[in-house]
Amino acid sequence: MKNKLQKITTNLWFDTQAEEATRFYTSIFENSKVGRITYYGNVGKDIHGMSEGKVMTIEFKLEGQSFVALNGGPQFKFTEAISFIIHCESQEDVDYYWEKLSQGGDENAQACGWLKDQFGVSWQIIPGNISDMINTSDPETSARVMKALYKMKKIDIQTLNQAYSG
């Protein structure tokens, strides 16, 4: 029986750090694994410019989600226009993911639970109930939560809960 393919798979384009990034991400997330690895050959070298035998793609999973890391060269860079959201149940979870993913990242790109990791990938590390706090029917409550959030780099759940409670 064939494995069912995930309908949508995220493809992450790196310059030459696909292996390093895959090892980094799979070391952080408990439920993760590295899958198939493909390598560049001589075919298409005039297009891709990669040496024969260099890793082209690595399939991997994080928390059951499939990803592909591609060594594609320096043509494209990551931007904050795309980010991965990590829903956290506790401050310990927030602290863990923030500490791990922010290592070597751009400190100037840290705001309101967002960070950029050492590869330039953007992440949002947030409590699972933040959407409910912000989208409450009471505009004053929502404003208090947003005011508290805008002062943070890493999320402090207790401070958000206090803002929500008034």
Side-chain angles (χ1 to χ4, degrees):
M1 182 177 207
K2 281 184 156 182
N3 289 339
K4 184 174 172 151
L5 286 177
Q6 180 174 297
K7 191 70 158 177
I8 299 172
T9 300
T10 302
N11 184 50
L12 301 171
W13 179 306
F14 297 90
D15 181 0
T16 59
Q17 311 93 342
E19 290 171 282
E20 182 183 350
T22 299
R23 280 193 306 275
F24 179 68
Y25 298 139
T26 57
S27 74
I28 293 171
F29 293 89
E30 225 174 88
N31 181 19
S32 65
K33 69 178 185 176
V34 177
R36 291 185 296 186
I37 301 174
T38 60
Y39 299 89
Y40 281 104
N42 277 329
V43 175
K45 185 171 179 162
D46 56 326
I47 297 169
H48 58 69
M50 297 291 186
S51 303
E52 183 175 6
K54 172 117 179 106
V55 169
M56 181 169 59
T57 63
I58 303 176
E59 297 173 5
F60 65 104
K61 287 192 177 209
L62 303 177
E63 299 296 336
Q65 295 289 317
S66 296
F67 293 84
V68 174
L70 165 74
N71 280 325
Q75 298 90 322
F76 302 106
K77 304 286 184 207
F78 294 110
T79 75
E80 294 83 353
I82 299 287
S83 63
F84 296 102
I85 299 172
I86 301 174
H87 299 279
C88 298
E89 295 300 319
S90 67
Q91 188 65 49
E92 292 81 20
D93 286 347
V94 169
D95 295 345
Y96 171 81
Y97 289 112
W98 188 272
E99 177 189 332
K100 298 293 184 183
L101 290 166
S102 66
Q103 289 175 8
D106 181 358
E107 289 186 27
N108 294 322
Q110 297 176 354
C112 304
W114 292 64
L115 65 82
K116 191 179 276 196
D117 71 23
Q118 62 185 301
F119 304 103
V121 175
S122 293
W123 299 82
Q124 295 178 58
I125 303 172
I126 59 172
N129 66 343
I130 195 166
S131 209
D132 293 336
M133 293 175 136
I134 294 169
N135 292 306
T136 180
S137 60
D138 178 15
E140 289 180 21
T141 300
S142 180
R144 283 194 312 270
V145 172
M146 290 304 295
K147 185 176 180 181
L149 182 63
Y150 285 139
K151 293 178 183 176
M152 298 179 189
K153 286 187 175 193
K154 179 179 76 172
I155 298 291
D156 181 315
I157 294 175
Q158 183 178 351
T159 301
L160 286 180
N161 285 336
Q162 288 170 343
Y164 184 75
S165 298

